[in-house]
Amino acid sequence: MDSYKNLDIEKIIEGLDGQVFESTGKHLSKAEIAIIKGAWNGQDYQEIAANSGYNMHYLRTAVGPNLWTMLSEAIGGGVQIKKATVKNVLLEIVKKDYLNQNDSLIGKTKIYGELPKINLFYGREKEINYLKNQIKLFNHHCVYLFGSAGTGKTFVATKIVEELLLEEPNSYDCVIWKSINYGSSIEDVLEEIIKILNLKIENKSRESKLNLILDQLKKYRCLLILDGLEGLAQIEVFEKKIECGNLFRRLIEEQHQSCIIVTSQLPLDQIAYTATTLLPAYVQIQGLEENAAMQILRRKDLKGEKECKKLIKIYRANPSLLELVASRINKFFGGDITKFLDYKTTLISENILKMLNQQFGGNGLLNDIQKQIMLCLAEHTSEELPPLKFSDMIDIIRKKNNCEISISNMMDAIEVLEQRCLIEINQKSPKDEVSYSLEPAIRKYILVDPLSLIYKNFNSSNNKLNGLKASNHIQE
């Protein structure tokens, strides 16, 4: 069954014709409209010709190529449109139009809170389709997206909302979007959701607030998005993790017809203490696939496939970093990637800088052993130096601290860093000893230590000097 049967192709073409006219000064011809309608319905040129009365050769050679070139310039946003991709492009335009409405997405679905606006979106089809299936086919009450800063978790969550509502209009009564600020409490979040929904409550206890929200999730079919759950994290306070775990238990166990979509920089078990049987459907959002990452750079008019691939590798296909570096290369180097690379500098985006400040801050998310590991990797690995073996890391940290360090504590600390995507794992085969390194942006942050959050904690001016020496591989 066609998921998009409720969409009116005539209205879509009417809107498209307006955009084409604005771009070219000409309206779509009848032959061009016939091809677009055929492509929308998955027809080949022979079928389009049979249904429209035009000659197949004329449509394929005279009309089609010019149409795709024109549409690429008018609505492609720097991406080449083809017959096979035009339907997806048109769907993106439809979704964007729906999102620009203030009081609804599709049909009667209401929006509460500030749903992010997506101008451009790249890749992530596999993750989005998986999570949609968990919601639609397996009736999961909660799906959980986690990954490092800048990977696009918020946009993926927004995209899931778009897809669900576009494919099944009126299937949800409302969308409730709540962005969680760093340092928030559970009481803050519950109270803000109640305020977003414009509900009244007399009893201010946490239980009463949660019950009121759960009543809404039972009474109406809602999509509740909790964006940035790491804002609740208090890693060292076990009682807070239990409280957060109890919140999730209620949200997932209670019988309701709604779904909660959560984004976070941390895995749920590092924020909340909860039974493993209650854990939601998980997806880790990492760097983009190469083709999607290339689209970002091509849209920014960066040239040279080899050079673009080098940028993608250095910045680990992180979309926010690629957007930043592409803009800076255009602004300061006239789009010359090679000239930028010659200076061997590494850029850090604002959201990654903020994430690392939160990790390394005085009351941050990293303990002392985790910080020691990060510092060790920053000083002893680079793009030119090989990854550091686990046994070598132990020796370096022991020698530096002039004391024994618990191996089990080291293992626990490294596993946490792995889960948070703060360190990179290198192991050619299961029989090889595992080695570790850092991505360049994180390594630069540690060596530069912009807010003096790192070196001062280890009470060693020699460490600072060693760090600056190591930074010869990464210039400020």
Side-chain angles (χ1 to χ4, degrees), residues 4 7-20 28 32-42 67-68 70-72 74-77 79-98 159 162-163 166:
Y4 305 103
L7 296 178
D8 187 342
I9 184 60
E10 298 293 343
K11 289 185 178 180
I12 291 175
I13 289 178
E14 183 180 338
L16 175 63
D17 184 60
Q19 289 182 275
V20 168
L28 291 169
E32 289 169 337
I33 291 174
I35 292 178
I36 294 170
K37 286 182 177 179
W40 177 272
N41 293 317
L67 173 62
W68 308 135
M70 178 186 66
L71 291 181
S72 298
I75 63 172
V79 179
Q80 180 65 40
I81 293 176
K82 301 177 181 179
K83 178 175 174 290
T85 62
V86 67
K87 181 173 182 177
N88 288 334
V89 175
L90 292 177
L91 285 172
E92 291 301 316
I93 294 173
V94 171
K95 295 170 192 174
K96 184 177 177 181
D97 288 342
Y98 282 131
K159 200 72 173 175
E162 287 184 36
E163 297 278 359
L166 185 64

Side-chain angles (χ1 to χ4, degrees), residues 11 136 178 316 323 346 438:
K11 289 185 178 180
K136 293 170 59 178
K178 175 68 190 87
R316 304 308 194 253
E323 289 279 359
T346 304
L438 299 177

Side-chain angles (χ1 to χ4, degrees), residues 124-132 156 283-285:
R124 305 298 190 200
E125 291 88 358
K126 182 178 179 180
E127 296 94 331
I128 290 169
N129 288 334
Y130 169 77
L131 290 170
K132 282 196 306 180
V156 172
V283 163
Q284 184 174 6
I285 306 298

Side-chain angles (χ1 to χ4, degrees), residues 14 28 78 109 142 216-217 251 253 269 276 314 374 433 463:
E14 183 180 338
L28 291 169
T109 306
C142 183
Q216 298 299 306
L217 299 183
L251 289 174
E253 276 191 342
D269 59 5
T276 55
I314 291 172
M374 298 284 285
E433 182 181 349
N463 284 349

Side-chain angles (χ1 to χ4, degrees), residues 353-402:
L353 186 66
K354 182 179 177 182
M355 179 268 288
L356 292 171
N357 289 342
Q358 292 169 354
Q359 297 278 351
F360 283 96
N363 296 316
L365 303 178
L366 295 176
N367 62 31
D368 286 342
I369 294 180
Q370 292 159 356
K371 291 177 183 177
Q372 286 273 14
I373 292 170
M374 298 284 285
L375 182 59
C376 177
L377 291 175
E379 294 180 340
H380 294 277
T381 67
S382 70
E383 293 295 287
E384 291 79 21
L385 296 175
L388 195 62
K389 291 182 179 180
F390 179 63
S391 56
D392 292 336
M393 187 192 311
I394 294 170
D395 293 340
I396 290 170
I397 293 177
R398 280 178 169 175
K399 184 177 180 180
K400 192 172 190 177
N401 290 276
N402 194 27

